[in-house]
């Protein structure tokens, strides 16, 4: 086979191999993205079968919607709470399990196990435990504390949803951190110890900088994931009490699929997209500041 | 480590374990209780009954719903493996004009969660007459955003393969498809495993899409079916619901316990290491 035949076959294989992925990306990501922007410029009621161009009317409606500040606040609270607790706990668990200690595999499995329990099963059992007369309050009763109705009180509903989600998925970040920790060269630790550095200094000056690329990656994944939360809200609180747990995706679902306002729902989708985009770009920019090295 | 420190660490780990382990335990034990006893939080049920486990199947076409979830997850996983490994391989190892632009097109898909595009996708499937069928639950995950992430992971993996392997195969007269199938793919087993796990769990847990697209009970998938166990007054039948929840959680848990090493390491070593 001469060079040109090989080259031509290579090209053919290349295009053939990427075609399904490209069709998918275009049909299920790009075209719908363009359409959602187009729809957001329309007043569209599915039940009444109306589809009228209204320009930026939906965006004006968005700015005046009394629910929107609460929705954005709930979304921000959920994301911030989730990221801080999730990354913090994942790091603590990874450091603890990275010690030379028998039985760490068992603990790794136990902390990781909620990741493989189906999301709805996990959410339902926590809904059961967090009820007024549920298991959490039964336990608090034993130690003489009168627990609140976790999912029905303004002050605790959001915190409860966050905590349920943290326990569900923290194992994933823990595993990624463990892999990163095991990649830190032992010589660096030994050298630091010879120089008389304490454990905290070693952690802050050596461990943290060396695993910072993983921290960045997990934080991007966790932030973007947190903006997509839907099932947990739908099962645990239905956005309540009031709108204290109505996150953006839940509000968008209500508007589009419960109130049949597809145009306004699309406007909310555009907002969601812009938030995801802004956060990703922001974190990517920040990497220059606090990520120590890159491959 | 000093014995005192070691004991302290074990104690700490045991306490931290509680919220990770006990919900699953409570779910399973409560599912064997009569609904009247459901809020008596003992460590093991006083009266054991299989009644809730039976009711799961009489109140809903649960076996059918179980089958729906299982076959959808299998099809999506296999499909994603094919789409992502071929595209990932081509982007990593074959040079062709327009490659970078095309990769950028795929990559930008990472930024767009499927929740953003749910309205136009619903509209698209509606005009194709595919609402209340399983097609949206198969096609979107298999070719949409989750598959884009899988393609990216596979590409990152194939980039690390040593070029000499392929050159040797080429001298032996193998063409591209054969090199991919006989050399690259077998070496990619860890990455394929991780992608398979991610994809399967994603499909198994999918909730917004089924709620939006599916309206017939016999076509429900498990996450959607789980929320439907209520009595005549819309009160939740906790014990039945928890039995159904146990049934959806247990198969994946068993596979995980058997294959936990590959499971965890597969996820940790997929270019996600940073």
């Amino acid at each position: 086979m001469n060079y040109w035949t090989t080259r031509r076959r290579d090209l053919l294989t290349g295009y053939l191999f990427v075609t399904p992925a490209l069709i998918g990306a275009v049909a299920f990501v790009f075209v719908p993205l363009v359409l959602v922007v187009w729809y957001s410029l329309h007043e569209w009621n599915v039940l009444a079968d109306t589809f009228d161009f209204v320009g930026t009317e939906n965006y004006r409606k968005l700015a005046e919607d009394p629910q929107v500040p609460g929705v954005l606040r709930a979304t921000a609270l959920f994301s911030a709470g989730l990221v801080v607790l999730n990354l913090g706990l994942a790091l603590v668990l990874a450091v603890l399990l990275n010690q030379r200690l028998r039985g760490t595999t068992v603990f790794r499995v136990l902390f990781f196990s909620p990741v493989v329990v189906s999301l709805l099963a996990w959410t339902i059992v926590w809904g059961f435990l967090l009820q007024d007369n549920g298991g959490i309050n039964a336990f608090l009763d034993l130690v003489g504390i009168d627990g609140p109705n976790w999912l029905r009180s303004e002050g605790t509903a959001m915190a409860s949803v966050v905590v349920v989600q943290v326990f569900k998925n923290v194992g994933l970040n823990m595993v990624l951190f463990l892999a990163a920790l095991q990649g830190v060269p032992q010589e660096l630790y030994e050298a630091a110890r010879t120089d008389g550095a304490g454990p905290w200094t070693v952690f802050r000056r050596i461990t943290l900088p060396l695993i910072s690329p993983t921290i960045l990656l997990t934080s991007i994944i966790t932030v973007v994931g947190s903006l997509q939360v839907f099932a947990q809200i739908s099962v645990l609180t239905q956005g309540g009490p009031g709108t204290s747990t109505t996150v953006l995706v839940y509000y968008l679902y209500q508007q589009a699929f419960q109130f049949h306002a597809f145009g306004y729902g699309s406007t909310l989708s555009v907002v969601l997209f812009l938030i995801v985009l802004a956060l990703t770009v922001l974190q990517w920019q920040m990497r220059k500041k606090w990520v120590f090295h890159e491959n | 480590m000093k014995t005192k420190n070691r004991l302290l660490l074990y104690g700490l780990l045991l306490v931290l374990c509680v919220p990770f382990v006990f919900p699953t335990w409570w779910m399973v034990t409560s599912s064997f209780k009569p609904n009247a006893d459901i809020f008596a939080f003992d460590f093991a049920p006083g009266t054991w009954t299989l009644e809730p486990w039976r009711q799961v199947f009489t109140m809903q076409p649960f076996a059918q719903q179980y089958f729906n979830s299982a076959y959808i997850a299998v099809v999506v996983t296999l499909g994603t493996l094919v789409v992502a490994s071929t595209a990932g391989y081509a982007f990593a190892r074959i040079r062709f004009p327009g490659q970078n632009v095309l990769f950028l097109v795929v990559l930008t898909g990472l930024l767009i969660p499927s929740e953003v595009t749910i309205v136009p996708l619903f509209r698209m499937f509606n005009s194709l007459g595919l609402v209340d069928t399983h097609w949206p639950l198969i096609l979107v995950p298999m070719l949409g955003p989750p598959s884009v992430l899988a393609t990216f992971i596979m590409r990152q993996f194939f980039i690390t393969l040593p070029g000499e392997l392929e050159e040797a195969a080429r001298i032996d007269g193998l063409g591209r498809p054969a090199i991919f199938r006989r050399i690259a793919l077998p070496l990619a087993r860890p990455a394929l495993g991780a992608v398979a796990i991610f994809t399967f769990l994603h499909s198994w847990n999918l909730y917004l899409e089924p709620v939006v697209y599916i309206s017939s009970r016999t076509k429900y998938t498990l996450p959607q079916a789980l929320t439907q166990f209520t009595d005549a007054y819309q009160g939740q039948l906790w014990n039945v619901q928890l039995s159904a929840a146990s049934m959806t959680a247990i198969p994946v848990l068993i596979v995980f316990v058997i294959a936990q090493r590959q499971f965890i390491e597969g996820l940790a070593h997929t270019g996600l290491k940073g």
Side-chain angles (χ1 to χ4, degrees):
Chain A
M1 225 185 316
N2 69 40
Y3 172 79
W4 284 111
T5 332
T6 316
R7 177 84 188 117
R8 223 170 32 231
R9 288 193 179 175
D10 247 30
L11 283 180
L12 192 69
T13 317
Y15 288 121
L16 213 64
F17 273 16
V18 298
T19 302
L22 274 176
I23 292 177
V26 171
F28 296 118
V29 182
F30 281 93
V31 171
L33 185 68
V34 173
L35 283 176
V36 87
V37 176
W38 177 239
Y39 291 169
S40 77
L41 304 174
H42 289 76
E43 167 79 47
W44 179 5
N45 188 313
V46 181
L47 292 184
D49 199 24
T50 54
F51 185 72
D52 305 312
F53 185 84
V54 292
T56 54
E57 188 54 45
N58 280 323
Y59 291 89
R60 199 167 311 136
K61 184 177 166 191
L62 181 93
E64 286 161 6
D65 186 342
Q67 308 275 44
V68 162
V71 168
L72 291 179
R73 185 170 163 272
T75 311
L77 268 179
F78 182 83
S79 296
L82 187 78
V83 171
V84 171
L85 282 180
N86 191 328
L87 294 190
L89 186 58
L91 196 56
V92 169
L93 291 177
V95 169
L96 289 180
L97 293 179
N98 200 34
Q99 309 297 317
R100 275 186 215 141
L101 189 71
R102 286 168 65 106
T104 47
T105 319
V106 176
F107 282 109
R108 267 171 44 154
V109 170
L110 294 180
F111 289 127
F112 191 79
S113 62
V115 175
V116 294
V117 172
S118 76
L119 176 64
L120 260 280
W122 182 258
T123 310
I124 284 170
V125 69
W126 274 95
F128 171 59
L129 292 172
L130 285 167
Q131 287 192 70
D132 207 10
N133 51 352
I136 306 287
N137 282 346
F139 173 76
L140 288 177
D141 241 14
L142 289 181
V143 287
I145 301 172
D146 192 17
N149 190 350
W150 297 96
L151 297 169
R152 299 274 171 273
S153 318
E154 293 253 358
T156 53
M158 179 54 91
S160 306
V161 179
V162 170
V163 166
V164 170
Q165 178 60 7
V166 167
F167 289 132
K168 173 78 174 79
N169 269 345
V170 73
L172 207 55
N173 286 347
M174 173 193 83
V175 165
L176 297 176
F177 284 151
L178 261 172
L181 285 175
Q182 276 155 13
V184 179
Q186 285 298 316
E187 304 89 73
L188 282 180
Y189 287 136
E190 277 151 32
R193 254 176 243 127
T194 322
D195 289 348
W200 175 241
T201 317
V202 172
F203 180 73
R204 218 166 46 90
R205 304 292 287 273
I206 296 175
T207 314
L208 267 188
L210 281 170
I211 65 169
S212 55
T214 307
I215 297 181
L216 173 77
L217 195 83
T218 47
S219 77
I220 294 181
I221 296 173
T222 311
V223 169
V224 174
S226 75
L227 290 168
Q228 295 169 263
V229 62
F230 174 78
Q232 297 87 321
I233 301 288
S234 166
V235 170
L236 290 175
T237 64
Q238 290 89 45
T243 53
S244 61
T245 58
T246 307
V247 295
L248 197 46
V249 171
Y250 194 75
Y251 192 54
L252 135 69
Y253 165 78
Q254 285 183 321
Q255 290 295 331
F257 296 101
Q258 289 184 339
F259 309 144
H260 305 286
F262 271 23
Y264 192 50
S266 301
T267 312
L268 293 165
S269 304
V270 173
V271 172
L272 176 64
F273 171 65
L274 292 177
I275 293 176
V276 172
L277 189 69
L279 283 176
T280 313
V281 171
L282 183 77
Q283 294 188 78
W284 198 246
Q285 289 301 319
M286 269 163 64
R287 91 192 188 281
K288 289 176 194 140
K289 259 195 185 160
W290 53 273
V291 171
F292 173 69
H293 71 134
E294 288 208 283
N295 303 348
Chain B
M1 210 185 296
K2 282 189 222 121
T3 319
K4 202 182 122 198
N5 284 348
R6 194 172 300 156
L7 283 178
L8 211 66
L9 191 52
Y10 277 128
L12 190 60
L13 286 172
L14 275 175
V15 172
L16 283 170
C17 251
V18 172
F20 291 85
V21 178
F22 271 84
T24 314
W25 169 262
W26 262 312
M27 172 176 71
V28 178
T29 53
S30 305
S31 75
F32 291 108
K33 287 180 184 179
N35 210 31
D37 294 1
I38 198 84
F39 286 113
F41 285 94
D42 323 317
F43 279 90
T47 337
W48 279 74
T49 169
L50 280 173
E51 187 58 20
W53 285 64
R54 201 185 58 79
Q55 275 179 293
V56 169
F57 293 94
T58 54
M59 292 182 64
Q60 281 202 75
F62 194 71
Q64 173 72 49
Q65 293 160 344
Y66 215 105
F67 173 76
N68 294 344
S69 264
Y71 101 83
I72 290 172
V74 168
V75 170
V76 168
T77 305
L78 293 178
T80 302
L81 287 177
V82 173
V83 172
S85 64
T86 48
Y89 179 79
F91 281 129
R93 314 244 29 138
I94 306 177
R95 297 278 147 263
F96 52 89
Q99 181 169 37
N100 291 335
V101 178
L102 295 184
F103 185 60
L104 209 66
V105 169
V106 172
L107 204 60
T108 326
L110 279 178
L111 272 179
I112 302 159
S114 38
E115 287 77 6
V116 168
T117 51
I118 188 97
V119 171
L121 284 175
F122 178 80
R123 175 81 183 155
M124 262 164 63
F125 284 111
N126 194 30
S127 56
L128 293 170
L130 295 178
V131 164
D132 205 27
T133 72
H134 289 147
W135 285 106
L137 310 185
I138 294 173
L139 289 178
V140 178
M142 194 172 101
L143 295 166
S147 169
V148 167
L149 179 64
T151 299
F152 182 69
I153 290 175
M154 291 313 300
R155 174 184 175 269
Q156 295 307 92
F157 181 86
F158 283 126
I159 277 180
T160 65
L161 287 185
E164 295 84 17
L165 274 175
E166 295 194 330
E167 277 155 37
R170 182 145 285 194
I171 292 164
D172 288 346
L174 290 188
R176 268 298 172 184
I179 295 177
F180 168 69
R181 215 180 54 238
R182 291 207 234 152
I183 295 174
L185 217 46
L187 288 171
R189 208 170 292 160
L192 289 170
V195 167
I197 293 164
F198 261 128
T199 314
F200 188 90
L201 288 179
H202 180 267
S203 172
W204 193 252
N205 286 330
L206 207 61
Y207 185 69
L208 175 62
E209 281 82 354
V211 167
V212 166
Y213 290 116
I214 311 292
S215 49
S216 322
R217 279 203 166 204
T218 50
K219 290 175 188 161
Y220 276 5
T221 58
L222 287 175
Q224 203 180 0
L226 284 185
T227 59
Q228 305 289 316
F229 293 99
T230 50
D231 62 21
Y233 308 100
Q234 296 298 306
Q236 255 163 322
L237 289 170
W238 280 111
N239 58 349
V240 184
Q241 203 173 18
L242 291 170
S243 320
S246 304
M247 280 182 237
T248 73
I250 286 170
V252 191
L253 266 181
I254 290 174
V255 174
F256 166 64
V257 168
I258 294 170
Q260 54 87 14
R261 227 190 134 76
Q262 293 82 334
F263 209 100
I264 293 183
E265 274 166 23
L267 290 176
H269 293 95
T270 39
L272 283 175
K273 253 170 92 174

